Amino acid sequence: MAQRYTKSNLPQKDCVVCGRPFEWRRKWKDCWDEVRYCSDRCRRRRSSVSQLGEE
């Protein structure tokens, strides 16, 4: 059975791109371990951020 979370006790991660913390969402319940970005905007910007670090 899947682990149940209460709103006051949601797990958090830091976004790889912007570094902001984001909380677990119901739509991520099956793939929470694979989630790396807080939003679609950060997911789209991932390549531009990695290129800036390589210069």
Side-chain angles (χ1 to χ4, degrees):
M1 182 175 228
Q3 184 176 1
R4 296 195 46 115
Y5 296 109
T6 60
K7 284 190 175 187
S8 62
N9 190 21
L10 295 174
Q12 285 188 341
K13 289 185 179 184
D14 292 331
C15 179
V16 177
V17 176
C18 67
R20 293 180 182 165
F22 62 96
E23 294 182 344
W24 180 89
R25 295 181 187 172
R26 184 178 294 161
K27 68 180 180 179
W28 293 331
K29 70 179 179 181
D30 295 329
C31 61
W32 175 244
D33 295 333
E34 301 162 9
V35 175
R36 298 174 56 198
Y37 308 105
C38 64
S39 64
D40 287 334
R41 179 182 181 196
C42 283
R43 186 178 46 79
R44 285 191 306 264
R45 292 186 61 208
R46 70 181 179 251
S47 61
S48 64
V49 170
S50 65
Q51 289 174 356
L52 291 175
E54 295 173 357
E55 294 180 351

